[in-house]
Amino acid sequence: MDPSRIYEEFPAPEYRGNQEETLGKIREAFAAGNDVVLVRAPTGSGKSLLARAVAGCSATPGEAGPTDPIGAYYTTPQVSQLDDVAGDPLLSDLNVIRGKNNYDCILPGETDTPVDQAPCVREREFDCQVKHRCPYFSDRAIAANREIAAMTLAYFMQTAGSDVFGMRDVVVIDEAHGLGDWAEMYATIDLGPRTIPPWNDVKPDAIEDLEDAADYAEYLTTICTRGLESLRGNAELTPEEVAKRDQLTELRSDLQWFLEEYRDPDSPTTWVVDQPDGEGSPVTIKPLNPERYLKHTVWDRGRKFALLSATILNKEAFCAGVGLDPDRVALVEVPHTFPVENRPLYDVTQGKMTYEYREETLPAIARTLVRLMQRHPDEKGLVHCHSYAIQEQLADLLADFGVATRIRRHDREDRDAQLETWKRGDGAEVFLSVKMEEALDLEGERCRWQLLCKAPYPNTRDSRVAARLDDGQWGWYYRAALRTVIQACGRVIRAPDDYGATYLADTSLLELFDRARSDMPDWFADQVRRMEQPALPAFDPGAAVEDGSVVSFESPRTSERSVPEVVSDPSWL
């Protein structure tokens, strides 16, 4: 790597905000001998452009020895982020490769068949005469042989150990704050009807502990091997048999890895197991600290790493969670260039949204949301509902108030379609969303205000979360929630001249800010210090909808908690 090239590798014709200064800090960090540089850069910093500049510093064939790695990887957990990169003319030399299921076969009669089910994977010794024109293999060959290959983190991890995508000189990971969480998710083994083709014949007994889980894993490994041997006897497979073969292959590999890790007394990986519905029901085996998994899939893939995010909140904690030596890691802090007055936080809290208080608090939040709709009669709004249960209850309450005509929501199946319809619309719809705190660009009139319904703490019923809290890792718990809040706040302000308001409805959010204050970036702490309670209109559903009319009477089960129409001074800071 030659960090001295970082300025000339910057792809934009001019710098914006703190980009020039940030490039200098990154250059100095690598020049000082650090293997990993963390870049904590807020929304709108142009992280993708910074990432391209770093990737461009990777060794070229003329600079490297015959056995030294060259080139760079760019990877991100977010599919939408990769889509943005692919569509950015300034990043045209990032050669994007996606998984096989994103490409269609070009053979006659197969043009609606994804490549992962094409004849080349269905028929034994199939010789494809047009493989050189296959869109998947063409993109793969280009990405493999060009200076910068771009892919999702999932594809990057899946190609670990492949001959095509081996070690490179530089690896750049955008939106890297959740790297440990993503690794845990990819390394989690779900055992149930979705992942085990012969599920009805191999349902488990009650899994009481990890030893029971290991015994069941050994049994399933044998079942997978038998199933694969049976399929290999067929000269040609149907698409369904291809899917079954791939399922069995992936399952056996995951089970073998778990057994190897679990049986190895020197392994750093700690496992937990869940079977919430008891005997005969699905089982989930999860790693708590997948450091070895990350070593193989990420850290062995490059010599130098740049990890970029707005929410790498604590360097030491982040390094511990992903298996990095903090002494070999530098942190580059990027100030926010968006005026703090353009990104206000407002306290409209109505009580706690924990399960025991939700039935009392949510109706008050629904009434507050109506008042926010009145305050923003001509502007789109986004509501972060946190869960589908909250979304459904909130939608019902708003329907009772007669404002459903201004509300849009989604379910698990039509999530992307509903989001795109809402974004393209010209009206002032309010979108009730679930898990859209990240990777959502709502610049300008796409959205001017948003409401956070609940403090996004990790689910304590998850065995990994429970195990960490039993171990006293409360700092991790608060950082995880704060990280999500900061990510959410960045959805509605995307440029220095943009503006967007964020309203907080759950009292637990204020407690979170107090508990996680030491981990806040300075620019977000500025927002929290300026937080105030806004003057909201008196509750009037008719004023919240475009035509001024409601379609039903107010539900008698709700009650309003008044919001003081004064600016507060949050002394808890």
mmCIF file of all heavy atoms in Angstrom, residues 135-153:
data_model
loop_
_atom_site.group_PDB
_atom_site.id
_atom_site.type_symbol
_atom_site.label_atom_id
_atom_site.label_comp_id
_atom_site.label_asym_id
_atom_site.label_seq_id
_atom_site.Cartn_x
_atom_site.Cartn_y
_atom_site.Cartn_z
ATOM 1 N N PRO A 135 -23.701 -13.376 -17.664
ATOM 2 C CA PRO A 135 -23.554 -12.111 -16.912
ATOM 3 C C PRO A 135 -22.876 -12.292 -15.561
ATOM 4 O O PRO A 135 -22.096 -11.427 -15.145
ATOM 5 C CB PRO A 135 -24.993 -11.617 -16.767
ATOM 6 C CG PRO A 135 -25.864 -12.805 -17.018
ATOM 7 C CD PRO A 135 -25.107 -13.670 -17.977
ATOM 8 N N TYR A 136 -23.129 -13.416 -14.877
ATOM 9 C CA TYR A 136 -22.482 -13.627 -13.586
ATOM 10 C C TYR A 136 -20.992 -13.872 -13.765
ATOM 11 O O TYR A 136 -20.156 -13.188 -13.144
ATOM 12 C CB TYR A 136 -23.101 -14.799 -12.825
ATOM 13 C CG TYR A 136 -22.283 -15.192 -11.617
ATOM 14 C CD1 TYR A 136 -22.264 -14.379 -10.485
ATOM 15 C CD2 TYR A 136 -21.493 -16.337 -11.623
ATOM 16 C CE1 TYR A 136 -21.494 -14.710 -9.383
ATOM 17 C CE2 TYR A 136 -20.713 -16.677 -10.515
ATOM 18 C CZ TYR A 136 -20.711 -15.857 -9.400
ATOM 19 O OH TYR A 136 -19.937 -16.183 -8.308
ATOM 20 N N PHE A 137 -20.631 -14.839 -14.593
ATOM 21 C CA PHE A 137 -19.212 -15.173 -14.738
ATOM 22 C C PHE A 137 -18.442 -14.038 -15.401
ATOM 23 O O PHE A 137 -17.246 -13.859 -15.144
ATOM 24 C CB PHE A 137 -19.059 -16.477 -15.507
ATOM 25 C CG PHE A 137 -19.429 -17.694 -14.699
ATOM 26 C CD1 PHE A 137 -20.656 -18.320 -14.874
ATOM 27 C CD2 PHE A 137 -18.577 -18.178 -13.725
ATOM 28 C CE1 PHE A 137 -21.012 -19.427 -14.117
ATOM 29 C CE2 PHE A 137 -18.920 -19.283 -12.955
ATOM 30 C CZ PHE A 137 -20.140 -19.903 -13.146
ATOM 31 N N SER A 138 -19.115 -13.246 -16.234
ATOM 32 C CA SER A 138 -18.458 -12.090 -16.824
ATOM 33 C C SER A 138 -18.136 -11.048 -15.761
ATOM 34 O O SER A 138 -17.009 -10.549 -15.676
ATOM 35 C CB SER A 138 -19.357 -11.474 -17.902
ATOM 36 O OG SER A 138 -18.794 -10.297 -18.419
ATOM 37 N N ASP A 139 -19.144 -10.715 -14.916
ATOM 38 C CA ASP A 139 -18.897 -9.750 -13.842
ATOM 39 C C ASP A 139 -17.854 -10.274 -12.865
ATOM 40 O O ASP A 139 -17.008 -9.514 -12.362
ATOM 41 C CB ASP A 139 -20.200 -9.459 -13.087
ATOM 42 C CG ASP A 139 -21.047 -8.399 -13.771
ATOM 43 O OD1 ASP A 139 -20.666 -7.958 -14.876
ATOM 44 O OD2 ASP A 139 -22.097 -8.022 -13.207
ATOM 45 N N ARG A 140 -17.894 -11.564 -12.590
ATOM 46 C CA ARG A 140 -16.922 -12.138 -11.657
ATOM 47 C C ARG A 140 -15.509 -12.044 -12.209
ATOM 48 O O ARG A 140 -14.567 -11.688 -11.483
ATOM 49 C CB ARG A 140 -17.278 -13.601 -11.355
ATOM 50 C CG ARG A 140 -16.466 -14.173 -10.209
ATOM 51 C CD ARG A 140 -16.782 -15.625 -9.942
ATOM 52 N NE ARG A 140 -16.208 -16.493 -10.963
ATOM 53 C CZ ARG A 140 -16.063 -17.813 -10.829
ATOM 54 N NH1 ARG A 140 -16.478 -18.406 -9.710
ATOM 55 N NH2 ARG A 140 -15.547 -18.539 -11.793
ATOM 56 N N ALA A 141 -15.352 -12.354 -13.489
ATOM 57 C CA ALA A 141 -14.019 -12.291 -14.105
ATOM 58 C C ALA A 141 -13.488 -10.865 -14.110
ATOM 59 O O ALA A 141 -12.301 -10.625 -13.840
ATOM 60 C CB ALA A 141 -14.088 -12.844 -15.524
ATOM 61 N N ILE A 142 -14.376 -9.909 -14.421
ATOM 62 C CA ILE A 142 -13.948 -8.501 -14.429
ATOM 63 C C ILE A 142 -13.531 -8.065 -13.033
ATOM 64 O O ILE A 142 -12.465 -7.475 -12.834
ATOM 65 C CB ILE A 142 -15.078 -7.607 -14.974
ATOM 66 C CG1 ILE A 142 -15.313 -7.891 -16.458
ATOM 67 C CG2 ILE A 142 -14.744 -6.138 -14.757
ATOM 68 C CD1 ILE A 142 -16.549 -7.212 -17.015
ATOM 69 N N ALA A 143 -14.383 -8.364 -12.032
ATOM 70 C CA ALA A 143 -14.074 -7.959 -10.663
ATOM 71 C C ALA A 143 -12.799 -8.620 -10.155
ATOM 72 O O ALA A 143 -12.014 -8.007 -9.424
ATOM 73 C CB ALA A 143 -15.246 -8.297 -9.740
ATOM 74 N N ALA A 144 -12.583 -9.871 -10.555
ATOM 75 C CA ALA A 144 -11.414 -10.608 -10.077
ATOM 76 C C ALA A 144 -10.115 -10.088 -10.665
ATOM 77 O O ALA A 144 -9.049 -10.245 -10.053
ATOM 78 C CB ALA A 144 -11.568 -12.091 -10.394
ATOM 79 N N ASN A 145 -10.192 -9.457 -11.828
ATOM 80 C CA ASN A 145 -8.969 -9.068 -12.528
ATOM 81 C C ASN A 145 -8.733 -7.568 -12.570
ATOM 82 O O ASN A 145 -7.743 -7.127 -13.161
ATOM 83 C CB ASN A 145 -9.006 -9.621 -13.953
ATOM 84 C CG ASN A 145 -8.851 -11.130 -13.995
ATOM 85 O OD1 ASN A 145 -7.777 -11.667 -13.769
ATOM 86 N ND2 ASN A 145 -9.956 -11.826 -14.254
ATOM 87 N N ARG A 146 -9.632 -6.792 -11.978
ATOM 88 C CA ARG A 146 -9.444 -5.341 -11.929
ATOM 89 C C ARG A 146 -8.941 -4.914 -10.555
ATOM 90 O O ARG A 146 -8.956 -5.678 -9.601
ATOM 91 C CB ARG A 146 -10.751 -4.636 -12.273
ATOM 92 C CG ARG A 146 -11.273 -4.958 -13.662
ATOM 93 C CD ARG A 146 -10.453 -4.305 -14.761
ATOM 94 N NE ARG A 146 -10.872 -4.751 -16.085
ATOM 95 C CZ ARG A 146 -11.902 -4.250 -16.760
ATOM 96 N NH1 ARG A 146 -12.623 -3.279 -16.230
ATOM 97 N NH2 ARG A 146 -12.196 -4.710 -17.960
ATOM 98 N N GLU A 147 -8.521 -3.653 -10.497
ATOM 99 C CA GLU A 147 -7.867 -3.166 -9.286
ATOM 100 C C GLU A 147 -8.777 -3.199 -8.066
ATOM 101 O O GLU A 147 -8.353 -3.543 -6.968
ATOM 102 C CB GLU A 147 -7.367 -1.737 -9.507
ATOM 103 C CG GLU A 147 -6.663 -1.157 -8.298
ATOM 104 C CD GLU A 147 -6.245 0.294 -8.500
ATOM 105 O OE1 GLU A 147 -6.475 0.836 -9.598
ATOM 106 O OE2 GLU A 147 -5.702 0.881 -7.542
ATOM 107 N N ILE A 148 -10.052 -2.823 -8.250
ATOM 108 C CA ILE A 148 -10.965 -2.743 -7.105
ATOM 109 C C ILE A 148 -12.205 -3.586 -7.387
ATOM 110 O O ILE A 148 -12.937 -3.318 -8.349
ATOM 111 C CB ILE A 148 -11.391 -1.293 -6.818
ATOM 112 C CG1 ILE A 148 -10.165 -0.383 -6.666
ATOM 113 C CG2 ILE A 148 -12.249 -1.235 -5.549
ATOM 114 C CD1 ILE A 148 -10.503 1.088 -6.532
ATOM 115 N N ALA A 149 -12.425 -4.602 -6.577
ATOM 116 C CA ALA A 149 -13.632 -5.432 -6.666
ATOM 117 C C ALA A 149 -14.592 -4.998 -5.571
ATOM 118 O O ALA A 149 -14.199 -4.860 -4.406
ATOM 119 C CB ALA A 149 -13.280 -6.906 -6.511
ATOM 120 N N ALA A 150 -15.857 -4.770 -5.947
ATOM 121 C CA ALA A 150 -16.865 -4.308 -4.981
ATOM 122 C C ALA A 150 -17.947 -5.362 -4.823
ATOM 123 O O ALA A 150 -18.430 -5.931 -5.807
ATOM 124 C CB ALA A 150 -17.480 -2.986 -5.456
ATOM 125 N N MET A 151 -18.351 -5.623 -3.585
ATOM 126 C CA MET A 151 -19.334 -6.678 -3.309
ATOM 127 C C MET A 151 -19.943 -6.457 -1.936
ATOM 128 O O MET A 151 -19.424 -5.684 -1.123
ATOM 129 C CB MET A 151 -18.646 -8.054 -3.358
ATOM 130 C CG MET A 151 -17.499 -8.199 -2.378
ATOM 131 S SD MET A 151 -16.435 -9.641 -2.701
ATOM 132 C CE MET A 151 -15.600 -9.142 -4.206
ATOM 133 N N THR A 152 -21.056 -7.129 -1.671
ATOM 134 C CA THR A 152 -21.631 -7.073 -0.329
ATOM 135 C C THR A 152 -20.751 -7.849 0.634
ATOM 136 O O THR A 152 -19.980 -8.730 0.242
ATOM 137 C CB THR A 152 -23.041 -7.671 -0.292
ATOM 138 O OG1 THR A 152 -22.970 -9.055 -0.625
ATOM 139 C CG2 THR A 152 -23.983 -6.942 -1.241
ATOM 140 N N LEU A 153 -20.896 -7.541 1.907
ATOM 141 C CA LEU A 153 -20.121 -8.252 2.926
ATOM 142 C C LEU A 153 -20.479 -9.731 2.937
ATOM 143 O O LEU A 153 -19.612 -10.589 3.158
ATOM 144 C CB LEU A 153 -20.376 -7.630 4.294
ATOM 145 C CG LEU A 153 -19.540 -8.162 5.450
ATOM 146 C CD1 LEU A 153 -18.061 -7.901 5.229
ATOM 147 C CD2 LEU A 153 -20.000 -7.539 6.774
#
